[in-house]
């Protein structure tokens, strides 16, 4: 029994152990089942997650693609804004709007990470810098203009150095060079023309191809039209004629004269304005009239369709201004007055469009000076004075535009000194000289004492003082001041271009006044030397236009007088004969220029000194011319001086 009970107990224990094992097994099985279920769920979740990941990757790629497409479209839009829309703003908008607009584009470009700056991005950023530079240059902020133009040139130069020989980049670089050239031009830097020419050379092969693109031809016209202006400023008028005719031909290929492309039509007229300028300087008046008529017609067509088109107005302004000079060259002061009034109207319209535009302020000053000249030619001296005074005021406002405008202000003050001194307003002339002295003091600040611009301004002021002294009959001061200007300029080495032209221009006035004072003081040998130098300088400046030839004839008259008073009568006769012939021919076709008889009288006096046989008749004719001058000219000190010289010669017989 005990054994049986023990077996039963053992069996019971085994049953209990089996039950516990079964429970554990069921628990493990349940756990495994749960784990298997979880694994299955995880697998399903993983599969769905994988699908979501693939889908997210596809969506991200699509998003990146859309973003790139959007950025590409934005770049194209910026390209349009930097080119077409920018041109529209330049033509019709205010410069402050153009500057703000282009500055936003520049800020966008500067804010882009380097990795996102592709070729098109860099090109568009550079074009925005060019646009901003042009706007800043126009309002006189030259430092900003120079910085922007320089950055644009650097960016585009790197693209080309990196192998980008595309037409678009070449065009953009040419425009950047032109913008940099305009800043140098305003600073009176002789590198202005070479810089602009560098951009022009980039465009020449592109525009010369038979299949040349519209963009290349447009850029060629835009850059090239300014080249002619800079060539005329450097006294390279024949070169300017060739350049502007080529530019106009390319503009014509784009339908300029038919008004198919109004921007090109405006540039066609602009190029024509500098062509007319060069033709006038060369004395080719028939051509000047023909080109002027055609370009004014084109400009009028543009303005009829788009009133307020800045470039078309500017072309009209320049052309009418040049025609004032042509009218005066053709001895038509009334026509000059009519054209001058039209020029003034256009200048006022341009300034009203953009009151901060330094160029427009300066050009209005030029138009006031043209009206002064027209009235002065007609012998209406007192009536002309308010115009030269307005010219001085406007030139002062424009002087903030850079060195070139400051030098222009100095020259305009010189015109006022001459006008006031000539009509006998000694106090007014001294007041103008005081203004010039203050300008000179400001001009010297921050510049090397031996710089070319300082030498030009200094010598110019000395000549103004010499003019005033001459009109006061202070011959010693006249010669001393003129001699000082000559010494300063003769030691100044100019690199060429506008600076050399300006130096020669001031020198020829200095030689003239020195020689005149020497002659009247009895130093005939000194007068002959000075007047020979004045004649040489005048010829270097060009003596093809009527006004230039008339001035040259005045120098030659003084020269012949000095030669005759030294007993060199044969030499004097040879000097004065062509002068008298020219002056008589001019008098025969005169249509109201009150100074023509005034200029003939000294020539006849000089001829009388060299021609004893006809002296009495020549002196009588000279005296008669002076006696019948316009009343205001007859009353001048200069007229009295010549009348006294002639009367003295008549007494001596």
């Amino acid at each position: 029994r005990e054994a049986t009970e023990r077996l039963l107990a053992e069996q019971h224990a085994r049953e209990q152990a089996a039950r516990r094992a079964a429970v554990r097994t069921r628990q493990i099985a349940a756990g495994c089942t749960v784990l298997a279920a979880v694994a299955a769920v995880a697998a399903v979740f993983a599969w769905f997650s994988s699908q979501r990941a693939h889908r997210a990757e596809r969506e991200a790629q699509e998003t990146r693609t859309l973003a790139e497409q959007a950025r590409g479209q934005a770049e194209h839009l910026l390209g349009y804004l930097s080119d077409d829309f920018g041109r529209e703003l330049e033509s019709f908008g205010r410069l402050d709007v153009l500057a703000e607009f282009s500055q936003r584009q520049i800020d966008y470009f500067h804010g882009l990470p380097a990795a996102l700056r592709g070729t098109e991005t860099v090109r568009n950023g550079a074009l925005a810098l060019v646009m901003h530079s042009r706007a800043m240059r126009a309002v006189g902020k030259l430092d900003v203009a120079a910085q922007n133009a320089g950055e644009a040139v650097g960016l585009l130069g790197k693209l080309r150095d990196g192998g980008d020989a595309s037409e678009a980049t070449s065009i953009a670089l040419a425009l950047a060079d032109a913008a940099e050239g305009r800043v140098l031009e305003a600073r009176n830097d002789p590198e202005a023309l070479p810089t602009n020419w560098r951009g022009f050379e980039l465009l020449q092969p592109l525009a010369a191809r038979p299949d040349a693109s519209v963009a290349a031809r447009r850029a060629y016209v835009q850059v090239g039209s300014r080249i002619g202006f800079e060539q005329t400023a450097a006294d390279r008028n024949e070169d300017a004629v060739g350049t502007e005719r080529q530019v106009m031909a390319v503009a014509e290929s784009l339908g300029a004269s038919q008004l198919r492309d109004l921007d090109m039509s405006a540039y066609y007229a602009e190029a024509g304005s500098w062509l007319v300028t060069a033709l006038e300087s060369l004395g080719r008046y028939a051509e000047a009239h023909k080109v002027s008529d055609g370009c004014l017609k084109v400009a009028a067509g543009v303005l009829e369709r788009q009133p307020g088109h800045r470039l078309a107005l500017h072309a009209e302004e320049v052309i009418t201004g040049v025609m004032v000079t042509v009218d005066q060259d053709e001895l038509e002061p009334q026509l000059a007055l009519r054209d001058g009034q039209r020029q003034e109207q256009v200048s006022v319209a341009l300034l009203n469009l953009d009151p901060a535009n330094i160029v427009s302020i300066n050009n209005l000053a030029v138009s006031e000076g043209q009206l002064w000249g027209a009235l002065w030619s007609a012998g209406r001296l007192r009536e002309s004075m308010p115009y030269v005074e307005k010219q001085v005021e406007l030139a002062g406002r424009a002087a903030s535009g850079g060195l070139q405008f400051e030098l222009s202000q100095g020259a305009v003050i010189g015109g006022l000194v001459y006008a006031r001194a000539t009509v006998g307003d000694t106090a007014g002339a001294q007041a103008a000289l005081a203004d010039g002295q203050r300008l000179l003091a400001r001009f010297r600040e921050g510049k090397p004492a031996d710089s070319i611009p300082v030498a030009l301004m200094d010598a110019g002021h000395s000549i103004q003082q010499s003019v005033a002294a001459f009109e006061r009959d202070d011959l010693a001061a006249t010669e001393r001041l003129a001699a000082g200007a000559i010494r300063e300029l003769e030691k100044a080495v100019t690199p060429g271009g506008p600076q050399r032209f300006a130096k020669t221009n001031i020198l020829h006035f200095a030689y003239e006044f020195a020689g005149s004072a020497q002659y009247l003081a009895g130093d005939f040998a000194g007068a002959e030397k000075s007047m020979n130098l004045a004649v040489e300088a005048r010829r270097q400046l060009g003596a093809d236009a009527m006004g230039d030839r008339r001035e040259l004839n005045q120098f030659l008259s003084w020269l012949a007088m000095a030669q005759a008073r030294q007993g060199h009568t044969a030499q004097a006769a040879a000097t004065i004969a062509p002068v008298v012939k020219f002056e008589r021919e001019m008098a025969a076709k005169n249509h109201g220029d009150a100074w023509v008889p005034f200029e003939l009288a000294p020539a006849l006096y000089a001829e009388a000194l060299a021609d004893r046989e006809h002296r009495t008749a020549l002196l009588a004719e000279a005296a008669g011319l002076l006696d019948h001058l316009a009343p205001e000219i007859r009353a001048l000190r200069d007229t009295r001086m010549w009348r006294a010289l002639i009367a003295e010669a008549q007494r001596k017989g």
Side-chain angles (χ1 to χ4, degrees):
R1 192 175 54 249
E2 288 177 355
T4 300
E5 287 176 354
R6 194 167 48 253
L7 288 172
L8 287 173
E10 290 174 357
Q11 184 177 358
H12 181 71
R14 285 195 296 272
E15 287 177 356
Q16 291 296 324
R19 288 192 191 97
R20 288 194 297 272
V23 169
R24 284 196 300 273
T25 300
R26 284 194 297 271
Q27 288 174 341
I28 291 170
C32 288
T33 301
V34 170
L35 289 174
V38 169
V41 170
V44 172
F45 180 76
W47 184 83
F48 279 110
S49 295
S50 174
Q51 292 302 309
R52 282 198 300 271
H54 286 305
R55 188 162 55 251
E57 185 177 352
R58 286 195 302 272
E59 289 173 354
Q61 182 61 40
E62 290 172 0
T63 301
R64 283 194 296 271
T65 301
L66 289 172
E68 288 298 321
Q69 290 175 348
R71 199 166 73 85
Q73 291 170 351
E75 293 293 345
H76 289 308
L77 176 60
L78 283 174
Y80 163 75
L81 294 175
S82 299
D83 188 12
D84 293 353
F85 188 62
R87 278 202 310 272
E88 292 292 320
L89 275 180
E90 281 188 304
S91 296
F92 303 106
R94 291 172 58 97
L95 287 177
D96 53 356
V97 176
L98 176 63
E100 182 181 355
F101 167 74
S102 52
Q103 185 62 58
R104 288 176 181 269
Q105 293 177 268
I106 294 169
D107 293 341
Y108 163 79
F109 173 71
H110 285 162
L112 279 177
L116 295 179
R117 293 185 182 182
T119 298
E120 188 174 4
T121 305
V122 172
R123 191 162 52 234
N124 290 335
L127 286 172
L129 287 162
V130 167
M131 188 190 310
H132 196 265
S133 174
R134 290 201 294 251
M136 292 295 97
R137 185 260 181 192
V139 297
K141 296 182 179 179
L142 296 186
D143 290 341
V144 178
Q147 180 181 345
N148 286 341
E151 183 181 353
V153 170
L155 289 168
L156 295 163
K158 285 181 181 178
L159 288 182
R160 283 179 62 84
D161 292 343
D164 181 4
S166 67
E167 178 180 280
T169 296
S170 296
I171 290 172
L173 180 55
L175 295 174
D177 284 332
E180 195 167 43
R182 293 294 296 274
V183 176
L184 293 171
E185 179 189 306
R187 287 176 165 167
N188 194 240
D189 193 312
E191 287 300 308
L193 179 55
T195 301
N196 213 352
W197 188 264
R198 187 170 64 238
F200 194 47
E201 285 184 318
L202 281 173
L203 297 170
Q204 284 177 327
L206 299 177
R209 292 199 308 242
D211 60 341
S213 68
V214 170
R217 286 181 287 166
R218 288 174 65 93
Y220 178 91
V221 171
Q222 181 178 343
V223 174
S225 62
R226 195 66 185 178
I227 295 285
F229 164 78
E230 292 174 348
Q231 288 170 328
T232 60
D235 198 31
R236 292 169 51 186
N237 292 301
E238 289 287 1
D239 292 342
V241 169
T243 298
E244 298 300 0
R245 288 200 185 280
Q246 290 174 11
V247 169
M248 292 172 73
V250 174
E252 180 60 22
S253 73
L254 295 167
S257 64
Q258 291 80 34
L259 304 175
R260 293 202 305 268
D261 183 329
L262 294 184
D263 277 343
M264 285 298 98
S265 298
Y267 271 110
Y268 177 90
E270 177 80 356
S273 73
W274 305 126
L275 174 56
V276 172
T277 302
L279 291 171
E280 184 280 325
S281 296
L282 294 168
R284 291 155 61 174
Y285 303 125
E287 290 180 74
H289 277 290
K290 183 178 180 181
V291 174
S292 169
D293 291 344
C295 290
L296 286 175
K297 181 179 179 181
V298 171
V302 174
L303 293 169
E304 182 180 348
R305 290 160 177 76
Q306 292 185 350
H309 194 293
R310 264 207 203 94
L311 191 60
L313 281 169
H314 182 261
E316 184 178 2
E317 176 186 45
V318 174
I319 293 171
T320 52
V322 178
M323 293 313 295
V324 172
T325 306
V326 171
D327 294 334
Q328 290 181 288
D329 287 347
E330 295 184 326
L331 311 175
E332 297 273 9
Q334 293 306 314
L335 292 181
L337 184 58
R338 179 202 65 188
D339 286 334
Q341 289 167 341
R342 177 56 187 158
Q343 180 191 13
E344 183 187 41
Q345 291 169 359
V346 177
S347 298
V348 169
L350 269 169
L351 188 57
N352 286 339
L353 286 173
D354 217 334
N357 191 323
I358 294 295
V359 176
S360 295
I361 296 171
N362 177 74
N363 289 351
L364 180 56
V366 172
S367 71
E368 300 299 342
Q370 292 283 61
L371 284 169
W372 165 52
L375 289 165
W376 191 269
S377 295
R380 296 155 64 178
L381 309 188
R382 300 287 178 182
E383 190 180 345
S384 74
M385 295 302 293
Y387 292 98
V388 69
E389 289 163 359
K390 282 194 287 185
Q391 183 185 22
V392 169
E393 185 270 327
L394 288 162
R397 287 170 53 192
S400 62
L403 185 62
Q404 183 59 45
F405 295 101
E406 291 179 272
L407 291 169
S408 294
Q409 182 188 12
V412 168
I413 289 175
L416 180 60
V417 171
Y418 164 79
R420 286 177 171 172
T422 299
V423 300
D425 181 5
T426 303
Q430 290 303 312
L433 283 172
D435 289 341
Q437 185 63 51
R438 286 189 287 272
L439 169 64
L440 179 59
R442 291 195 304 271
F443 188 81
R444 286 173 173 160
E445 292 175 2
K447 299 182 181 70
D450 59 349
S451 71
I452 298 301
V454 169
L456 293 173
M457 185 72 87
D458 231 338
H461 184 67
S462 294
I463 296 303
Q464 294 165 21
Q465 293 175 303
S466 182
V467 170
F470 186 78
E471 293 299 329
R472 296 194 311 268
D473 288 318
D474 187 345
L475 300 180
T478 301
E479 184 180 357
R480 174 175 50 80
L481 290 162
I486 292 168
R487 284 194 301 272
E488 181 159 8
L489 286 177
E490 285 183 340
K491 70 182 180 182
V493 179
T494 52
Q499 288 188 352
R500 179 176 296 173
F501 183 81
K503 172 185 171 178
T504 306
N505 190 42
I506 297 171
L507 269 175
H508 95 281
F509 286 122
Y511 294 137
E512 175 196 8
F513 282 97
S516 301
Q518 288 163 336
Y519 179 90
L520 293 173
D523 180 6
F524 303 124
E528 181 181 10
K529 179 181 177 181
S530 295
M531 283 303 173
N532 265 318
L533 291 169
V535 167
E536 180 185 350
R538 178 62 267 180
R539 285 177 171 152
Q540 288 177 11
L541 294 170
D544 298 308
M546 176 70 80
D548 298 333
R549 179 61 189 273
R550 290 171 69 176
E551 186 177 59
L552 175 62
N553 282 348
Q554 293 175 54
F555 299 170
L556 289 168
S557 294
W558 283 101
L559 176 60
M561 289 157 51
Q563 291 168 338
R565 293 299 294 269
Q566 296 176 82
H568 307 149
T569 53
Q571 188 179 9
T575 299
I576 200 62
V579 174
V580 172
K581 180 177 183 294
F582 184 93
E583 293 288 333
R584 287 193 185 281
E585 291 172 351
M586 185 170 64
K589 58 186 179 184
N590 187 21
H591 295 287
D593 190 311
W595 293 90
V596 169
F598 175 89
E599 294 165 15
L600 176 56
L604 294 173
Y605 169 71
E607 189 174 43
L609 295 181
D611 185 356
R612 177 167 292 278
E613 181 182 354
H614 301 96
R615 178 173 298 178
T616 300
L618 289 168
L619 291 173
E621 184 182 359
L625 289 170
L626 295 178
D627 290 342
H628 293 88
L629 290 172
E632 290 186 63
I633 298 178
R634 190 166 63 244
L636 296 180
R637 172 260 174 204
D638 289 356
T639 306
R640 295 195 302 273
M641 177 196 75
W642 286 112
R643 191 67 183 84
L645 290 172
I646 293 168
E648 181 185 5
Q650 286 175 318
R651 285 193 302 271
K652 290 181 178 179

